[in-house]
Amino acid sequence: MNIKKITTILLAGIILTLTACYPENFNQTTFHPYGPVAERQLDIFWLILIGGIVVFLLVEGILIYSALKFRRKKDSPLPKQIHGNHKLEIVWTVIPGIVVLIFSILSINTLMYAADVPKDAEGNLGNHKSLHAIGHQWWFEFRYPHPNDDSQQVVLANEVYIPVGIPVRIELDTVDVIHSFWVPKLAGKVDMVPKPKDRNGVKDNNYMWFEASEPGIYFGQCAEFCGASHANMKFKIIAVTPSEYDAWLMTQIEPAAEWPDPLAKEGADVFKSAGCSGCHSLKPVAKIGSKGRLGPNLTHVASRTHLAAGMLNNTISLNTTTINDAYLQENLRDWITNPASIKPGNLMSAQATVYTDPDKALTESQISALIAYLTTLK
Amino acid sequence: MAQSEIKDTDHVSDVEHEVTSTGLNHRKMLMWAFLGSDCMFFGALIATYLVYKGKSLSGPQPIDVFDIPVTSVSTFVLLMSSMSMVLAYSALTKNNMKVFRIWMISTAIKGATFVGFQVYEFASFSKHHVHVECNESHEMTTFETEVFEAECKPGIDSFSGEYGLKPQTNLFGTTFYTLTGLHGAHVTLGVVWLLSLLLLSFKKGVITKEKNVDIDLAALYWHFVDVVWIVIFTVVYLFGVFPFS
Amino acid sequence: MTLFPIQISIPSIPRPVKPTGLWSWLTTIDHKRIGILYGVTAFILFLSGGIEATLMRLQLSGPELDLVSAEVYNQLFTMHGTTMIFLAIMPMGAAFFNFIIPLQIGARDVAFPRLNAFSYWTFLAGAIMLKLSWIGGATNAGWFGYAPLTSVSQNPGTGIDFWIISLQILGVASLAAAFNFIVTIINMRAPGMHMMRLPVFIWMSFITAILLVLAFPVITVALIELTLDRYYDFNFFNVANGGSVVLWQHLFWVFGHPEVYILILPAMGIVSEVLPVFSRKPLFGYSTIVLAGAIIAFMGWMVWSHHMFTVGLGPAANAIFTITTMLIAVPTGIKVFNWLATIWGGSIKLNTPMLFSLGFIAMFLIGGISGVMHAVSASDAQQQDTYFIPAHIHYAVFGGAIMALMSGVHYWFQKTTGKMFGEILGKFHFWTLMLGQNLTFFPMHFVGLEGMPRRIYTYAEGMGWDLWNGVSTFGVFILIISFLAFMLNVIKSWKSGPIAPADPWDARTLEWSIPSPAPEYNFSEIPQVKALDDWWVTKQENPDIEVPDALENHSIHLPQPSYWPFVTALGILIAAYGVVFNDLLVPYLIAGIGTLVTFIGVYSWSLEPVNDPDEHTSH
């Protein structure tokens, strides 16, 4: 078996293995991009990987070959005592130097592309939707500009719709520690960094953008260690056609329709008396830049495909947005009964009196009423 | 190999004149290495100061509290202490123990004076007083404008209040006190070191014309601390009040 | 706080003169003994870090497991990282610096033997501080402790304070050692040992010491700023008052990146010693390898923001740091190619030390390739903070540094103990380590690119991460077996291994020209060095030369043992405990007592002559 044959077989083996074992389209894989930013970032990865594989085969090959071919045998003579060869050293300095420089420069294009929404002919930011994402320990607040009122924002949590084929420009904010906003199928992550307001009250927040090229549900997860439940901080980006998106936004600016169910009405009372409304707003909109509440906005909570920032699923499977009411109710019950078991360290368990004060704990019937009420918030 | 042939050419009972590869004394080299690390230490602190310069959201700024004439005096005192340190070492090498001790005490006193000035400065900054006239328009600093906007309501002619600069007040307070405080701690340690050496010099044979490395080391440290102060005085004080922004 | 120490005229406590047993170890200033202390302590702490890792991997072996709580898991990964970097790899490197440097440069000890002992005891104090913090809640904000997670409002307990203080203590220990080795290497070389005749291990140790001197003060400042924020409400990282949490990251990584070169350069030095000996060929391109090491250390100061590519520094900064980081791959590549050229055409003996050094190249290469992938900030946006990074890290420090350190252990064991290290168990240890290392860490590349973030105590089903996490955990058990074999080998060989000759490998450098184990005085006569690889050259000129036996009686003057390094370090430990719990009266007392003990130690040390003029040297 000569070297040529071995190399060919190895290469063929690697290519076959890679093709056969190409990663499946799992929820957060970077190998199946659905938007131009993620696509271009993956292209750079492939480029470097190919370079890496070449270097790997070359170096490991020489290593293993030498270790075997030059193995000491009995009565081996002293090998030729070579101290160095400057010409050779120059070659293996200059060539890698050129290669790494080429890779770096090729990648800068993608770096600039990912930095902000593509510009139009005049050099201004092109057409895009603006989204404000605010990290909390341990959930995501989202705000869209009100479609009809410049002074207001639509307030959402953990799940947000975007239109297909239109760039979405995201301002990244946080109320506590550093979080990171990552939807692998749409774009690489950018951190949500707490920043001071300058003397004019303006925060120099980070921005990122992505665009979905197809309708679908895209999974996101916080990607900067942010405390006890960092592992439990997930969100969804749901891409729909632009007309579906516009329709959705119009439903979001209205509060949920009221239901005449008496248990639900009782639940609405419990919501106030137990102090839930102190942290959870039921108003769909808020003034621009207004300080959020401690907990997620619950105006349309019953339409969300998941609860507690990705911890509990209200749908039969992960790739549909159709809510299964039975799941929803079960999840609400699990969450309200024992939130700390689902999200260790969460602020609700730590601060809400219904959890901290045994006298004020919710009774079974109160919980059922609450669930009945929350289920009406579609 | 016979025992009698064993030599150890590197041992000398006198530590001052050990044989070294470069001819330089071990401990002097150690001091230089240490000063290298101390450079990075102050470098990081000064970098923090510069990063936050001008970024305080409120509260007194350098121009409100600094008294350049007073700080110039204390700077001069510290600079002169370096001179007396040189004179001390020089006297020692000439075997003039009395003069050596006088200059050592002089250095220590100047160092302590510098620290005293700093203590006074910190105390006065923390009790910084502001007076604004509400009806006349005159040049005000950014901070005075803050006070003006907060306190000059209709009907009030003037306002006086204490707005001390503490480390907790704003970024300037935090970085200023930390940087200059840690420098002052270095000076204080130096004073303690000098006084200890002074006391030791009374024990016979410990510090002599030939055994002068200890003084040399202390002098190196002392000059370093002085040079760092020159940088701090320029970057923090002078650049703080002169409009280079 | 200014302190005026009480001048106690200590009625001269007699200096220890060659005590035996425990006291001989507490007061030793012999670099060889200190090396052994470092090595054994570091290995035990390495095992503790391994236990922390095993618990983590058990928790992650399947989705949504409940072995440890979220809080404990967060403490585990923080302590694992801090332990492995500061309490395992760095002190293992220090073990080699201590034992080998004087031997390889032809000296009898280091420039400051008591400072050397102080470095060890202070390191131990820092290690105790950190590990004892498990009682009552260890630090839980990651080994990198990003603000504002480390603020008092986010983390009111003492865990973070323990972490801060122990890192400061460890910094003192590292700095003291670095100063010592810089002076030793520059100033205590045998006659004729010019800088360009120094073994590569010495050069790498020297460069590492310079990096330590320049890098540690930066994290010292960062930790002081954090302490002031936590204890006294300063504003360094207080966003509400204008502070920047990104400043912490800058300060930390300006230290943190040179730190990883501090971890790897000694390992590269060891490999550069081992490969030529077991190929019976000189190192290819000695001066190039030395220069490459120096260039890596220099360029290492210009790349730190590649740890911050996703923080939002902007595309211009990210582009610059991409380029500088990619460029640092070049001198690293030079070293690898020069090593390959060393073994090419040689007469290779595949014994355990050689296998580990070859394994280092094989594994570190993979770490280097994934490093180049991270260097490109465009694609790093998908890799940062995912398991792809621990994959890179562990190929570089586990497959890299740890393998090279194991190579050094196997190479120099005989010089340390005078016994031959078992080959069969050694090879078993090597192959299981290779297998375990790849099973544990290679799958992390996959799950990282498939969207698994780092530092999560659990993950959901159905994300595609289950299989590889399981494989990864399985690999840990292979690693455990590997290290059990190693420990067995150490005990067996030390107790009853065959007696080792002075030069079992027919090696090239000065330490092999003295008996095994190295005698107390190192060299009966300080060598006159004529060339690079002087011992090899001597043997070529005089093939019949024999290393004489160790002297039974000698009047060679040696530095003497001392109590004060130990006392000073003890004072620091006591004071540190007082400082951590800073809100109560008793801690202030403890801090005061500790400071007093420290001052007594320092003053007594400085008043104690370097060499007692009346001592008798014969033993």
Side-chain angles (χ1 to χ4, degrees), chain A residues 23 28 30 48 60 70 72 79 81 83 89 92 107 111 137 182 184 189 191 206 223-224 230 232, chain C residues 154 280 285 288 310-311 338 345 347-348 362 369 373 376-377 381-382 384-386 449-451 455 457:
Chain A
Q28 282 173 207
T30 61
I48 317 256
E60 303 284 10
F70 299 110
R72 192 180 305 177
Q81 302 285 290
H83 290 266
E89 285 168 344
W92 64 54
S107 76
L111 188 62
Q137 281 168 320
W182 189 34
K189 67 192 71 68
D191 291 350
N206 288 343
E224 179 60 57
H230 165 60
N232 301 331
Chain C
Q154 286 283 332
R280 305 200 87 216
T288 313
T310 57
V311 153
N338 276 36
S347 171
I348 299 176
I369 293 174
M373 291 177 177
V376 178
S377 63
Q382 292 279 40
Q384 167 68 349
D385 266 301
T386 69
L449 291 174
E450 291 187 351
R455 301 162 182 155
Y457 74 98

Short mmCIF file of all heavy atoms in Angstrom, two decimals, chain A residues 23 28 30 48 60 70 72 79 81 83 89 92 107 111 137 182 184 189 191 206 223-224 230 232, chain C residues 154 280 285 288 310-311 338 345 347-348 362 369 373 376-377 381-382 384-386 449-451 455 457:
data_model
loop_
_atom_site.label_atom_id
_atom_site.label_comp_id
_atom_site.label_asym_id
_atom_site.label_seq_id
_atom_site.Cartn_x
_atom_site.Cartn_y
_atom_site.Cartn_z
N PRO A 23 -25.03 16.64 9.56
CA PRO A 23 -25.92 16.83 10.70
C PRO A 23 -27.37 17.02 10.28
O PRO A 23 -27.67 17.73 9.35
CB PRO A 23 -25.37 18.09 11.35
CG PRO A 23 -23.96 18.18 10.93
CD PRO A 23 -23.88 17.55 9.59
N GLN A 28 -31.59 23.78 16.66
CA GLN A 28 -30.68 24.92 16.79
C GLN A 28 -29.37 24.69 16.05
O GLN A 28 -28.36 25.29 16.37
CB GLN A 28 -30.39 25.20 18.28
CG GLN A 28 -31.54 25.95 18.94
CD GLN A 28 -31.41 26.13 20.44
OE1 GLN A 28 -32.41 26.24 21.13
NE2 GLN A 28 -30.20 26.17 20.96
N THR A 30 -26.41 24.87 13.37
CA THR A 30 -25.89 25.93 12.50
C THR A 30 -25.69 25.41 11.08
O THR A 30 -25.32 26.18 10.19
CB THR A 30 -24.54 26.45 13.01
OG1 THR A 30 -23.60 25.36 13.02
CG2 THR A 30 -24.66 27.03 14.39
N ILE A 48 -12.88 27.55 6.24
CA ILE A 48 -11.82 27.30 7.22
C ILE A 48 -11.72 25.81 7.52
O ILE A 48 -10.63 25.28 7.74
CB ILE A 48 -12.08 28.06 8.52
CG1 ILE A 48 -12.54 29.46 8.24
CG2 ILE A 48 -10.87 28.02 9.43
CD1 ILE A 48 -11.56 30.51 8.44
N GLU A 60 -0.74 15.35 10.71
CA GLU A 60 -0.91 14.05 11.38
C GLU A 60 -0.29 12.95 10.51
O GLU A 60 0.32 12.00 11.02
CB GLU A 60 -2.39 13.74 11.62
CG GLU A 60 -3.13 14.78 12.42
CD GLU A 60 -2.85 14.75 13.93
OE1 GLU A 60 -1.93 14.03 14.35
OE2 GLU A 60 -3.53 15.47 14.66
N PHE A 70 10.65 5.78 10.90
CA PHE A 70 11.99 6.00 11.43
C PHE A 70 12.15 5.36 12.81
O PHE A 70 12.95 5.79 13.62
CB PHE A 70 12.26 7.51 11.51
CG PHE A 70 12.21 8.18 10.18
CD1 PHE A 70 11.17 9.04 9.87
CD2 PHE A 70 13.18 7.91 9.21
CE1 PHE A 70 11.11 9.65 8.62
CE2 PHE A 70 13.12 8.51 7.97
CZ PHE A 70 12.07 9.38 7.67
N ARG A 72 13.31 3.17 15.76
CA ARG A 72 14.66 2.68 16.02
C ARG A 72 14.66 1.15 16.00
O ARG A 72 13.80 0.53 16.61
CB ARG A 72 15.10 3.16 17.41
CG ARG A 72 16.57 2.96 17.70
CD ARG A 72 16.93 3.45 19.09
NE ARG A 72 16.53 4.83 19.27
CZ ARG A 72 16.67 5.49 20.41
NH1 ARG A 72 17.20 4.90 21.46
NH2 ARG A 72 16.27 6.74 20.52
N PRO A 79 21.50 8.74 13.55
CA PRO A 79 20.99 9.40 12.34
C PRO A 79 21.78 10.68 12.04
O PRO A 79 22.49 11.19 12.89
CB PRO A 79 19.54 9.73 12.71
CG PRO A 79 19.48 9.68 14.17
CD PRO A 79 20.57 8.78 14.66
N GLN A 81 22.86 14.23 11.93
CA GLN A 81 22.56 15.25 12.94
C GLN A 81 22.30 16.60 12.28
O GLN A 81 23.17 17.47 12.23
CB GLN A 81 23.73 15.37 13.92
CG GLN A 81 24.06 14.06 14.62
CD GLN A 81 23.04 13.72 15.69
OE1 GLN A 81 22.97 14.37 16.73
NE2 GLN A 81 22.23 12.70 15.45
N HIS A 83 20.84 20.25 12.04
CA HIS A 83 20.49 21.27 13.03
C HIS A 83 19.40 22.21 12.55
O HIS A 83 18.80 22.92 13.34
CB HIS A 83 21.73 22.07 13.41
CG HIS A 83 22.71 21.26 14.21
ND1 HIS A 83 22.71 21.27 15.59
CD2 HIS A 83 23.66 20.40 13.84
CE1 HIS A 83 23.65 20.45 16.03
NE2 HIS A 83 24.24 19.90 15.00
N GLU A 89 12.51 26.69 6.70
CA GLU A 89 11.77 27.42 7.73
C GLU A 89 11.08 28.64 7.15
O GLU A 89 9.96 28.98 7.52
CB GLU A 89 12.71 27.82 8.87
CG GLU A 89 13.08 26.65 9.75
CD GLU A 89 14.24 26.96 10.69
OE1 GLU A 89 14.95 27.95 10.46
OE2 GLU A 89 14.41 26.21 11.66
N TRP A 92 7.92 27.45 5.44
CA TRP A 92 6.77 27.17 6.29
C TRP A 92 6.44 28.29 7.27
O TRP A 92 5.68 28.11 8.20
CB TRP A 92 6.87 25.80 6.98
CG TRP A 92 7.93 25.52 7.96
CD1 TRP A 92 8.28 26.21 9.10
CD2 TRP A 92 8.78 24.37 7.95
NE1 TRP A 92 9.28 25.58 9.77
CE2 TRP A 92 9.61 24.44 9.10
CE3 TRP A 92 8.92 23.27 7.09
CZ2 TRP A 92 10.57 23.48 9.39
CZ3 TRP A 92 9.87 22.32 7.39
CH2 TRP A 92 10.69 22.41 8.52
N SER A 107 -12.90 36.75 5.11
CA SER A 107 -13.99 36.70 6.09
C SER A 107 -14.52 38.09 6.43
O SER A 107 -15.62 38.23 6.97
CB SER A 107 -13.51 36.03 7.37
OG SER A 107 -12.71 36.93 8.12
N LEU A 111 -18.18 39.65 7.79
CA LEU A 111 -18.24 40.40 9.04
C LEU A 111 -19.00 41.71 8.83
O LEU A 111 -19.90 42.06 9.61
CB LEU A 111 -16.81 40.70 9.48
CG LEU A 111 -16.60 41.31 10.85
CD1 LEU A 111 -17.11 40.38 11.91
CD2 LEU A 111 -15.12 41.59 11.06
N GLN A 137 -33.47 38.17 33.49
CA GLN A 137 -33.19 36.86 34.09
C GLN A 137 -34.53 36.19 34.32
O GLN A 137 -35.27 36.63 35.18
CB GLN A 137 -32.43 37.00 35.40
CG GLN A 137 -30.96 37.27 35.19
CD GLN A 137 -30.23 37.69 36.45
OE1 GLN A 137 -30.75 38.46 37.26
NE2 GLN A 137 -29.03 37.22 36.65
N TRP A 182 -29.41 34.57 20.39
CA TRP A 182 -28.88 33.64 19.40
C TRP A 182 -29.97 32.80 18.79
O TRP A 182 -30.63 32.03 19.50
CB TRP A 182 -27.84 32.72 20.05
CG TRP A 182 -27.08 31.89 19.09
CD1 TRP A 182 -26.70 32.21 17.82
CD2 TRP A 182 -26.56 30.58 19.34
NE1 TRP A 182 -25.98 31.19 17.25
CE2 TRP A 182 -25.88 30.17 18.17
CE3 TRP A 182 -26.60 29.71 20.42
CZ2 TRP A 182 -25.25 28.94 18.06
CZ3 TRP A 182 -25.97 28.48 20.32
CH2 TRP A 182 -25.30 28.10 19.14
N PRO A 184 -29.59 30.29 15.92
CA PRO A 184 -28.54 29.74 15.05
C PRO A 184 -28.95 29.64 13.58
O PRO A 184 -28.11 29.85 12.71
CB PRO A 184 -28.28 28.35 15.63
CG PRO A 184 -28.71 28.44 17.05
CD PRO A 184 -29.83 29.42 17.08
N LYS A 189 -24.66 34.95 17.11
CA LYS A 189 -25.17 35.69 18.26
C LYS A 189 -24.50 37.04 18.44
O LYS A 189 -23.38 37.28 18.02
CB LYS A 189 -24.97 34.86 19.52
CG LYS A 189 -23.50 34.68 19.86
CD LYS A 189 -23.29 33.63 20.93
CE LYS A 189 -23.56 32.25 20.41
NZ LYS A 189 -22.56 31.81 19.40
N ASP A 191 -24.25 39.84 21.89
CA ASP A 191 -24.58 39.92 23.32
C ASP A 191 -25.51 41.08 23.62
O ASP A 191 -25.48 42.12 22.96
CB ASP A 191 -23.31 40.08 24.15
CG ASP A 191 -22.45 38.82 24.13
OD1 ASP A 191 -22.92 37.78 23.64
OD2 ASP A 191 -21.30 38.91 24.59
N ASN A 206 -26.23 47.39 21.60
CA ASN A 206 -25.79 46.62 20.44
C ASN A 206 -26.95 46.43 19.47
O ASN A 206 -28.11 46.41 19.87
CB ASN A 206 -25.30 45.24 20.88
CG ASN A 206 -23.98 45.31 21.61
OD1 ASN A 206 -23.27 46.30 21.53
ND2 ASN A 206 -23.65 44.25 22.32
N ALA A 223 -27.20 32.81 25.03
CA ALA A 223 -25.87 32.21 24.89
C ALA A 223 -24.79 33.00 25.63
O ALA A 223 -23.67 33.11 25.16
CB ALA A 223 -25.52 32.10 23.41
N GLU A 224 -25.11 33.56 26.77
CA GLU A 224 -24.08 34.13 27.63
C GLU A 224 -24.50 33.84 29.05
O GLU A 224 -25.62 34.19 29.45
CB GLU A 224 -23.95 35.63 27.42
CG GLU A 224 -22.90 36.30 28.31
CD GLU A 224 -21.49 35.76 28.09
OE1 GLU A 224 -20.99 35.80 26.97
OE2 GLU A 224 -20.87 35.32 29.09
N HIS A 230 -29.69 30.14 33.41
CA HIS A 230 -29.19 30.45 32.06
C HIS A 230 -29.61 29.35 31.10
O HIS A 230 -29.99 29.62 29.95
CB HIS A 230 -27.67 30.58 32.11
CG HIS A 230 -27.00 30.54 30.78
ND1 HIS A 230 -27.27 31.46 29.77
CD2 HIS A 230 -26.06 29.72 30.27
CE1 HIS A 230 -26.53 31.18 28.71
NE2 HIS A 230 -25.77 30.14 28.99
N ASN A 232 -32.20 27.73 31.06
CA ASN A 232 -33.65 27.68 30.89
C ASN A 232 -34.20 28.93 30.23
O ASN A 232 -35.33 29.33 30.50
CB ASN A 232 -34.31 27.50 32.25
CG ASN A 232 -33.84 26.24 32.95
OD1 ASN A 232 -33.48 25.27 32.31
ND2 ASN A 232 -33.83 26.27 34.27
N GLN C 154 -26.20 40.75 42.50
CA GLN C 154 -26.44 39.47 41.84
C GLN C 154 -25.93 38.30 42.67
O GLN C 154 -26.43 37.19 42.58
CB GLN C 154 -25.74 39.44 40.47
CG GLN C 154 -26.41 40.27 39.41
CD GLN C 154 -27.64 39.56 38.86
OE1 GLN C 154 -27.73 38.35 38.87
NE2 GLN C 154 -28.60 40.33 38.39
N ARG C 280 17.26 10.87 18.71
CA ARG C 280 18.72 10.90 18.59
C ARG C 280 19.18 11.88 17.52
O ARG C 280 20.12 11.63 16.76
CB ARG C 280 19.26 9.49 18.29
CG ARG C 280 18.81 8.47 19.31
CD ARG C 280 19.65 7.24 19.33
NE ARG C 280 20.79 7.43 20.20
CZ ARG C 280 22.00 6.93 19.98
NH1 ARG C 280 22.24 6.24 18.91
NH2 ARG C 280 22.96 7.14 20.84
N GLY C 285 16.27 23.51 14.04
CA GLY C 285 16.02 24.96 14.08
C GLY C 285 15.86 25.49 15.49
O GLY C 285 14.86 26.11 15.82
N THR C 288 15.18 29.18 15.74
CA THR C 288 13.85 29.52 15.23
C THR C 288 12.78 29.18 16.27
O THR C 288 11.84 29.94 16.47
CB THR C 288 13.56 28.73 13.95
OG1 THR C 288 14.69 28.83 13.10
CG2 THR C 288 12.33 29.26 13.26
N THR C 310 -18.41 38.74 20.33
CA THR C 310 -19.86 38.94 20.27
C THR C 310 -20.34 40.04 21.20
O THR C 310 -21.53 40.27 21.33
CB THR C 310 -20.61 37.65 20.62
OG1 THR C 310 -20.18 37.23 21.92
CG2 THR C 310 -20.32 36.56 19.62
N VAL C 311 -19.40 40.73 21.87
CA VAL C 311 -19.79 41.73 22.85
C VAL C 311 -20.27 43.03 22.19
O VAL C 311 -20.90 43.86 22.83
CB VAL C 311 -18.60 41.99 23.81
CG1 VAL C 311 -18.63 43.37 24.41
CG2 VAL C 311 -18.60 40.98 24.91
N ASN C 338 8.86 22.50 12.83
CA ASN C 338 10.22 22.22 13.28
C ASN C 338 10.28 20.93 14.09
O ASN C 338 11.24 20.16 14.00
CB ASN C 338 10.76 23.40 14.10
CG ASN C 338 11.35 24.48 13.23
OD1 ASN C 338 10.83 24.74 12.15
ND2 ASN C 338 12.43 25.10 13.66
N GLY C 345 13.60 11.40 9.88
CA GLY C 345 14.96 10.92 9.64
C GLY C 345 15.71 10.59 10.92
O GLY C 345 16.91 10.35 10.90
N SER C 347 16.07 8.41 14.78
CA SER C 347 16.07 7.01 15.20
C SER C 347 15.15 6.96 16.41
O SER C 347 15.56 7.14 17.56
CB SER C 347 17.49 6.59 15.57
OG SER C 347 17.48 5.32 16.17
N ILE C 348 13.85 6.73 16.12
CA ILE C 348 12.81 7.04 17.10
C ILE C 348 12.51 5.88 18.04
O ILE C 348 12.25 4.76 17.59
CB ILE C 348 11.52 7.45 16.37
CG1 ILE C 348 11.79 8.71 15.53
CG2 ILE C 348 10.40 7.72 17.36
CD1 ILE C 348 10.62 9.13 14.70
N ALA C 362 -0.12 15.81 18.10
CA ALA C 362 -1.34 15.37 17.43
C ALA C 362 -2.58 16.06 17.99
O ALA C 362 -3.44 16.52 17.24
CB ALA C 362 -1.49 13.86 17.56
N ILE C 369 -6.34 24.03 15.17
CA ILE C 369 -7.24 24.21 14.02
C ILE C 369 -8.56 24.80 14.47
O ILE C 369 -9.07 25.75 13.86
CB ILE C 369 -7.44 22.88 13.28
CG1 ILE C 369 -6.12 22.45 12.62
CG2 ILE C 369 -8.52 23.00 12.23
CD1 ILE C 369 -6.17 21.08 12.00
N MET C 373 -10.44 28.48 13.65
CA MET C 373 -11.86 28.70 13.32
C MET C 373 -12.47 29.77 14.20
O MET C 373 -13.24 30.61 13.73
CB MET C 373 -12.63 27.39 13.50
CG MET C 373 -12.26 26.38 12.46
SD MET C 373 -13.13 24.84 12.74
CE MET C 373 -12.57 23.94 11.33
N VAL C 376 -11.64 33.61 13.32
CA VAL C 376 -12.37 34.35 12.30
C VAL C 376 -13.69 34.80 12.89
O VAL C 376 -14.62 34.00 13.06
CB VAL C 376 -12.60 33.45 11.07
CG1 VAL C 376 -13.39 34.18 10.03
CG2 VAL C 376 -11.26 32.99 10.53
N SER C 377 -13.79 36.09 13.21
CA SER C 377 -14.96 36.54 13.98
C SER C 377 -16.26 36.36 13.22
O SER C 377 -17.31 36.21 13.83
CB SER C 377 -14.78 37.99 14.41
OG SER C 377 -14.71 38.81 13.27
N ALA C 381 -19.20 33.99 15.41
CA ALA C 381 -20.49 34.39 15.96
C ALA C 381 -21.40 33.18 16.20
O ALA C 381 -22.26 33.21 17.07
CB ALA C 381 -21.18 35.36 15.01
N GLN C 382 -21.20 32.12 15.43
CA GLN C 382 -22.00 30.91 15.63
C GLN C 382 -21.32 29.95 16.62
O GLN C 382 -21.94 29.00 17.08
CB GLN C 382 -22.22 30.18 14.30
CG GLN C 382 -23.11 30.93 13.32
CD GLN C 382 -24.60 30.75 13.64
OE1 GLN C 382 -25.00 30.75 14.80
NE2 GLN C 382 -25.40 30.61 12.60
N GLN C 384 -19.00 31.04 19.37
CA GLN C 384 -18.76 31.63 20.69
C GLN C 384 -19.83 31.17 21.68
O GLN C 384 -21.01 31.10 21.34
CB GLN C 384 -18.76 33.16 20.55
CG GLN C 384 -18.82 33.95 21.82
CD GLN C 384 -17.57 33.84 22.68
OE1 GLN C 384 -16.70 33.00 22.44
NE2 GLN C 384 -17.48 34.66 23.69
N ASP C 385 -19.41 30.86 22.89
CA ASP C 385 -20.35 30.48 23.94
C ASP C 385 -21.12 29.20 23.64
O ASP C 385 -22.17 28.95 24.25
CB ASP C 385 -21.35 31.60 24.24
CG ASP C 385 -20.85 32.45 25.40
OD1 ASP C 385 -20.64 31.87 26.48
OD2 ASP C 385 -20.64 33.65 25.20
N THR C 386 -20.61 28.38 22.71
CA THR C 386 -21.19 27.05 22.50
C THR C 386 -20.16 26.03 22.92
O THR C 386 -19.03 26.38 23.26
CB THR C 386 -21.52 26.79 21.02
OG1 THR C 386 -20.29 26.68 20.31
CG2 THR C 386 -22.35 27.90 20.45
N LEU C 449 -21.66 23.05 17.40
CA LEU C 449 -22.14 23.57 16.12
C LEU C 449 -23.60 23.24 15.91
O LEU C 449 -24.24 23.81 15.02
CB LEU C 449 -21.30 22.99 14.98
CG LEU C 449 -19.86 23.50 14.96
CD1 LEU C 449 -19.04 22.78 13.91
CD2 LEU C 449 -19.84 25.01 14.69
N GLU C 450 -24.13 22.32 16.71
CA GLU C 450 -25.54 22.02 16.59
C GLU C 450 -26.36 22.80 17.60
O GLU C 450 -27.49 22.46 17.89
CB GLU C 450 -25.77 20.52 16.72
CG GLU C 450 -25.20 19.81 15.52
CD GLU C 450 -25.53 18.35 15.47
OE1 GLU C 450 -26.07 17.83 16.47
OE2 GLU C 450 -25.23 17.74 14.44
N GLY C 451 -25.77 23.84 18.14
CA GLY C 451 -26.55 24.80 18.88
C GLY C 451 -26.57 24.66 20.39
O GLY C 451 -27.37 25.32 21.05
N ARG C 455 -22.07 26.23 29.52
CA ARG C 455 -22.44 26.65 30.87
C ARG C 455 -23.92 26.47 31.13
O ARG C 455 -24.54 27.30 31.81
CB ARG C 455 -22.00 28.11 31.11
CG ARG C 455 -20.50 28.25 30.91
CD ARG C 455 -20.04 29.67 30.69
NE ARG C 455 -18.60 29.69 30.46
CZ ARG C 455 -17.95 30.64 29.79
NH1 ARG C 455 -18.61 31.66 29.30
NH2 ARG C 455 -16.66 30.58 29.64
N TYR C 457 -26.75 23.78 32.76
CA TYR C 457 -26.74 22.62 33.65
C TYR C 457 -27.58 21.47 33.12
O TYR C 457 -27.48 20.36 33.61
CB TYR C 457 -27.19 23.02 35.05
CG TYR C 457 -28.67 23.28 35.21
CD1 TYR C 457 -29.51 22.30 35.70
CD2 TYR C 457 -29.21 24.52 34.89
CE1 TYR C 457 -30.87 22.53 35.85
CE2 TYR C 457 -30.56 24.76 35.03
CZ TYR C 457 -31.38 23.76 35.51
OH TYR C 457 -32.73 24.00 35.65
#
